[in-house]
Amino acid sequence: MKSLLIEKANTAVVHEVDLPEPGEGQVRLRVEYVGICGSDLHYFFEGANGAFVVREPLVPGHELSGRIDLDPSGALAPGTAVTVHPARFGTPREGIENAPHLWPGGSYLGSASTWPHTQGAASEYLVVDADMVRPLPDGLPVRRAVLAEPLAVALHALGKAGAVDGLDVLVTGSGPIGLMAVAASVAAGARVTATDVLPGPLERAAALGAHATIDVSQKDVDAGAYAVVLECSGVPVSISTALRAVRSGGTVVQVGMLPDDPRSVNLAPFISKEVRYFGAFRFRDEIDQAVALLAANPGIESALTHEFALTDADEAFATARDSQRSGKVVFAL
């Protein structure tokens, strides 16, 4: 089978590798779509995602959909359309028993955080644990289902804020995760404003139901105007904007990832307005909610803007890096 491997920074090569065989409690998938995430871009362009360095060829990809190829147990018939929860949870820890995504010792598809690396989904076939598989409901196309993982990230973040029906919600940064945050917030009944510094992402946010958009390179966000802010850019200046934009007693959820080093942020509004500020990392089981939301809202598929073959990986990564040009970029196998 064909598999895409990132060998080092700016080098991704398609190799012919052995077809994997599922063991006990596992299934084999025929992968059809793999989304390109920000972590994949870091691995390709920098050879590392933060502290996680590519030390052996790494198959990227943790956003995927496809069909069952082989389930030795017989529980899932060949051809069953599925997506995948990409995490294997680690060891339970006191105080976070109900947050398995935070347990130490876990793994995530397409990640260099483990040794050996946890290989990802950018292959024609993939073996995963059976409990990671989520069959798709009737009417949900395999193509749209590739958005389940990033939408689950957004739903987990929104869940930290609580109910938003009828509230004003600001989404800062309208890249792929920001777009999923817009879709999740609109579906939850919020009045959503989305920000970015480029017109392309703002147009996509509007198409997903954002009630208003703001180009923050041209206009400031109103101070104290939003009950909830989902900060999806991971840019320190945007964090300061989020704290200024949230109302007194409001909630900011930090969704965008930041480099692990000191950055300058204005915390004065955080203190004076008694803001609740949460971090949101991956998700627990919100992928099930994401699957249902994707089935109910076909328009979310508009976030998918480009498809590439594995053999066109260089172009795919470059396109995904260009946020003016692209929303969610996927490999179509």
Side-chain angles (χ1 to χ4, degrees):
M1 69 170 188
K2 292 181 173 58
S3 185
L4 178 69
L5 291 105
I6 296 175
E7 298 179 338
K8 59 182 179 180
N10 293 295
T11 303
V13 180
V14 175
H15 289 272
E16 194 71 32
V17 300
D18 292 338
L19 182 70
E21 294 296 332
E24 184 177 356
Q26 295 183 319
V27 299
R28 186 169 66 208
L29 311 180
R30 176 63 173 92
V31 179
E32 294 189 16
Y33 294 96
V34 180
I36 296 177
C37 178
S39 60
D40 302 318
L41 295 179
H42 285 299
Y43 284 130
F44 177 72
F45 287 106
E46 301 159 24
N49 181 30
F52 306 136
V53 179
V54 175
R55 293 180 287 161
E56 65 174 344
L58 174 69
V59 180
H62 53 260
E63 307 170 2
L64 72 142
S65 58
R67 299 180 188 275
I68 296 295
D69 180 65
L70 174 62
D71 179 359
S73 76
L76 293 171
T80 300
V82 299
T83 187
V84 171
H85 191 313
R88 293 181 177 92
F89 297 134
T91 304
R93 183 67 61 85
E94 184 178 358
I96 53 172
E97 294 89 349
N98 295 323
H101 59 294
L102 300 180
W103 294 348
S107 63
Y108 218 70
L109 292 177
S111 175
S113 64
T114 57
W115 182 258
H117 297 338
T118 303
Q119 302 298 340
S123 298
E124 291 181 307
Y125 294 88
L126 176 70
V127 167
V128 297
D129 295 344
D131 62 6
M132 298 166 70
V133 172
R134 302 295 191 272
L136 305 185
D138 292 341
L140 176 54
V142 173
R143 182 179 187 269
R144 193 187 313 153
V146 75
L147 293 170
E149 194 276 349
L151 182 56
V153 170
L155 288 166
H156 178 70
L158 191 63
K160 305 291 282 187
V164 296
D165 187 22
L167 299 182
D168 290 302
V169 171
L170 179 69
V171 175
T172 56
S174 296
I177 290 295
L179 293 177
M180 294 300 97
V182 168
S185 300
V186 169
R191 294 183 297 272
V192 180
T193 298
T195 75
D196 208 275
V197 297
L198 294 169
L202 294 176
E203 291 168 3
R204 288 185 280 274
L208 285 170
H211 295 69
T213 61
I214 300 173
D215 182 342
V216 290
S217 69
Q218 304 294 325
K219 179 184 177 182
D220 290 335
V221 177
D222 290 340
Y226 301 94
V228 173
V229 181
L230 303 178
E231 203 303 290
C232 298
S233 72
V235 178
V237 68
S238 189
I239 299 173
S240 296
T241 296
L243 292 170
R244 185 176 68 252
V246 71
R247 73 186 185 189
S248 293
T251 302
V252 175
V253 184
Q254 184 62 45
V255 191
M257 299 295 289
L258 290 151
D260 187 15
D261 56 30
R263 297 293 171 109
S264 178
V265 174
N266 180 14
L267 291 178
F270 169 73
I271 300 164
S272 64
K273 293 192 286 188
E274 295 192 0
V275 174
R276 297 189 306 160
Y277 189 15
F278 292 106
F281 182 66
R282 294 177 180 166
F283 55 90
R284 177 185 175 177
D285 54 11
E286 288 86 353
I287 196 164
D288 301 309
Q289 184 183 352
V291 167
L293 185 56
L294 287 166
N297 291 269
I300 298 176
E301 192 168 349
S302 68
L304 294 173
T305 59
H306 293 79
E307 297 180 13
F308 291 92
L310 290 181
T311 50
D312 296 324
D314 287 6
E315 185 180 358
F317 287 125
T319 301
R321 197 184 201 185
D322 184 350
S323 59
Q324 166 59 20
R325 180 184 171 197
S326 68
K328 174 57 67 177
V329 177
V330 299
F331 290 112
L333 284 74

